[in-house]
Amino acid sequence: MEYVDRHQGGERTILVSVSVQLLDDLDAEEFALLAQSAGADILEHIKVQRNKPNPKFFIGSGKVEEIAEQVQELEASLVIFDHALSPAQERNLERILKCRVIDRTGLILDIFALRARTHEGKLQVELAQLKHLSTRLIRGWSADFEQQKGGIGLRGPGETQLETDRRLIRVRITQLKDKLDKVQQTRMQGRAARQKAAIPTVSLVGYTNAGKSTLFNILANSDVYAADQLFATLDPTLRRLDWDGIGTVVLADTVGFVRNLQHDLVESFKATLEETLEATLLLHVIDSSSHDMLDQIEAVEGVLKDIGADAPVLRVYNKIDLSGEEAKIIYAEPHVPDRVYVSAHSGQGLELLQKAVQECLMGQIQKFSLVLKPAYGKLRTQLYALNVIESEHYDDAGLLHIDVKIAPHKLEKLIRQAKLPLDEILGEHASQFKRPLEEFEIKGDIS
């Protein structure tokens, strides 16, 4: 079994946005974009207001009859609701509207199925689809099918077709979970190796279409699929790169978030979101040009809270070429960046972003003058690898004098791991480093 069958796009569609006082209001414009991302041919967008959901249809029976007339008049084959519907509500609506009805979750799953490219992504989508479908199997089955199997060789207790399908789905769900567990174990091994080598992971998170993948491609010099559409990227992508002053970093791009993402979807995509859970630093990419920016920020922070992500967060306000803001860093306190304003499209502020990430990962960057003996060449090589050397020269005694700009604790780690004398190398700067060597815990390679 591959994907659960879904419509292939281009279907004549009516959208129904429902504003319910007891529930969070959703963005009708974003809903239309979601439908377009699935390839829907939108004929009509109906907006409905309710004090509370109707248990039978979610909306009122009068409005259902009105939509049924529109379906017949416009020859629509699909109606999509911008809220989660119960299986019974979907069946009741289909019976009156005489066409297929799906809800917000079904629509997002359809987009996920279109976007998944990797083996892991396809497994996650199929798992989420099957979980969603398992409660909706009765749809489409007539009374003729809802009877026990019979005939030569098949008589006896048997089971209904519906029960057979449910059993097959349960088996497939178990298989998918086992496969995803293996993917998770592979990821954990890679993550453990990075942690052992003290390689930080910087994970990009954000609302869908905030520009994460475009920013990722620029920072990592990569070619991850990026487009001006919702859920352009579904699969997690990791790139290993070297940043000046930081060294080796793993950059991770993750699936975009959206408001009212169902808990089952979050659970199904937990393998993707694990890169967020284990990150050293989260870059929360925000569309600064969106009129709905504050709600989108709240939605992303809500998902991060739900999955238990507690890594430090640097807010990256993207698309300043559209919002008209200037490239800048805003600090929560000295040398602790809180937010940075950039444009991945025009390249504005990207050097500020790198500086902010550097400060978040490494702390305050300072200038040091070092004195190295010829035998300390390995330390010089490591400093060059970090690209932190500003100038160097030899004196008459053959000692190498180097000026570097680096975080104090990173410099201390390099010197102590090499088991070199701080006083000799740092001179007057040595007083900044008070810990004796035996208190310094060495963890893996630094490069």
Side-chain angles (χ1 to χ4, degrees):
M1 183 187 292
E2 289 287 333
Y3 289 120
V4 178
D5 289 338
R6 297 277 172 181
H7 68 277
Q8 297 300 310
E11 287 193 69
R12 298 173 64 81
T13 305
I14 292 176
L15 304 182
V16 182
S17 291
V18 187
S19 176
V20 183
Q21 290 183 4
L22 299 180
L23 302 176
D24 293 334
D25 281 348
L26 299 172
D27 188 343
E29 183 180 341
E30 178 186 276
F31 177 41
L33 286 173
L34 281 170
Q36 289 169 6
S37 295
D41 177 13
I42 300 174
L43 307 175
E44 188 74 42
H45 192 161
I46 299 171
K47 298 178 177 62
V48 183
Q49 288 191 330
R50 296 276 307 174
N51 290 327
K52 60 181 180 179
N54 180 302
K56 187 174 182 180
F57 298 114
F58 196 84
I59 57 177
S61 56
K63 184 59 72 172
V64 174
E65 294 293 343
E66 182 183 320
I67 295 172
E69 292 175 7
Q70 290 273 41
V71 168
Q72 187 173 6
E73 181 181 336
L74 299 174
E75 298 181 349
S77 58
L78 176 67
V79 174
I80 308 176
F81 277 71
D82 192 17
H83 273 285
L85 299 175
S86 70
Q89 287 170 337
E90 280 191 12
R91 292 194 297 272
N92 293 336
L93 286 165
E94 285 182 337
R95 194 174 297 117
I96 303 298
L97 301 181
K98 293 181 172 54
C99 72
R100 288 196 311 113
V101 175
I102 65 173
D103 63 1
R104 181 182 180 86
T105 303
L107 174 61
I108 292 175
L109 282 172
D110 192 276
I111 298 170
F112 281 5
L114 289 172
R115 300 285 187 265
R117 289 172 174 81
T118 66
H119 175 63
E120 177 188 354
K122 291 175 181 178
L123 288 176
Q124 291 176 131
V125 169
E126 187 181 348
L127 176 60
Q129 284 181 324
L130 289 174
K131 283 184 174 180
H132 185 64
L133 183 67
S134 62
T135 59
R136 290 162 163 75
L137 275 180
I138 196 171
R139 184 177 64 188
W141 291 100
S142 68
D144 292 335
F145 291 102
E146 196 49 23
Q147 58 186 343
Q148 292 187 344
K149 295 176 181 178
I152 298 173
L154 294 174
R155 296 185 180 95
E159 61 182 346
T160 65
Q161 182 65 53
L162 183 60
E163 288 168 343
T164 301
D165 284 353
R166 282 179 175 158
R167 178 172 50 80
L168 291 174
I169 284 179
R170 284 196 299 270
V171 170
R172 183 58 180 164
I173 285 175
T174 301
Q175 292 172 344
L176 290 172
K177 285 182 176 179
D178 289 342
K179 290 181 179 180
L180 283 170
D181 283 344
K182 292 178 182 177
V183 171
Q184 183 181 19
Q185 290 170 11
T186 303
R187 284 192 176 280
M188 287 174 64
Q189 291 171 358
R191 198 176 298 123
R194 295 198 302 268
Q195 290 171 347
K196 184 178 180 181
I199 299 175
T201 298
V202 178
S203 184
L204 277 67
V205 299
Y207 207 76
T208 183
N209 206 32
K212 290 186 294 83
S213 296
T214 302
L215 188 60
F216 179 89
N217 285 337
I218 292 173
L219 295 176
N221 192 23
S222 186
D223 58 354
V224 171
Y225 180 69
D228 184 19
Q229 56 186 200
L230 303 185
F231 297 114
T233 301
L234 177 62
D235 304 304
T237 307
L238 279 71
R239 292 290 185 274
R240 188 183 181 113
L241 60 148
D242 292 314
W243 270 357
D244 292 354
I246 301 173
T248 302
V249 171
V250 172
L251 195 65
D253 188 19
T254 58
V255 63
F257 299 160
V258 70
R259 274 173 292 180
N260 280 38
L261 195 62
Q262 296 296 307
H263 181 71
D264 279 350
L265 292 186
V266 174
E267 281 296 310
S268 298
F269 289 85
K270 207 138 193 178
T272 302
L273 297 173
E274 275 174 5
E275 294 304 333
T276 300
L277 282 172
E278 301 295 334
T280 312
L281 174 67
L282 298 178
L283 299 186
H284 179 181
V285 183
I286 298 163
D287 182 356
S288 65
S289 67
S290 172
H291 68 279
D292 224 8
M293 181 181 71
L294 296 179
D295 287 338
Q296 292 177 1
I297 291 173
E298 185 179 348
V300 172
E301 290 178 345
V303 175
L304 291 176
K305 183 178 179 181
D306 287 344
I307 64 175
D310 58 358
V313 178
L314 174 64
R315 288 186 177 182
V316 181
Y317 286 79
N318 190 27
K319 303 188 182 181
I320 60 172
D321 54 315
L322 300 178
S323 65
E325 294 175 277
E326 62 175 337
K328 59 188 174 183
I329 301 177
I330 294 179
Y331 291 85
E333 54 186 85
H335 306 291
V336 181
D338 176 67
R339 61 187 68 181
V340 58
Y341 290 78
V342 305
S343 169
H345 179 71
S346 69
Q348 295 170 260
L350 293 183
E351 71 289 344
L352 295 178
L353 174 58
Q354 184 167 323
K355 180 177 185 293
V357 170
Q358 188 180 58
E359 290 184 312
C360 286
L361 292 178
M362 310 301 298
Q364 179 184 353
I365 306 300
Q366 297 181 25
K367 186 172 181 176
F368 296 95
S369 296
L370 313 181
V371 180
L372 303 184
K373 290 180 178 179
Y376 301 163
K378 183 179 179 181
L379 177 59
R380 176 177 177 269
T381 301
Q382 291 172 328
L383 293 171
Y384 260 110
L386 292 175
N387 200 20
V388 296
I389 296 179
E390 290 196 317
S391 64
E392 63 178 9
H393 69 274
Y394 287 93
D395 63 16
D396 295 338
L399 298 175
L400 179 62
H401 295 256
I402 302 179
D403 289 330
V404 298
K405 288 184 73 174
I406 190 171
H409 83 269
K410 182 72 171 180
L411 178 59
E412 180 185 18
K413 186 174 185 177
L414 288 168
I415 296 173
R416 291 187 182 275
Q417 282 188 323
K419 297 185 179 179
L420 299 177
L422 283 171
D423 291 345
E424 184 181 315
I425 293 174
L426 293 166
E428 62 182 19
H429 298 297
S431 60
Q432 291 184 231
F433 308 98
K434 301 296 185 183
R435 290 179 296 168
L437 181 61
E438 57 270 15
E439 289 184 10
F440 186 80
E441 184 180 3
I442 298 175
K443 292 185 179 179
D445 299 330
I446 345 160
S447 57

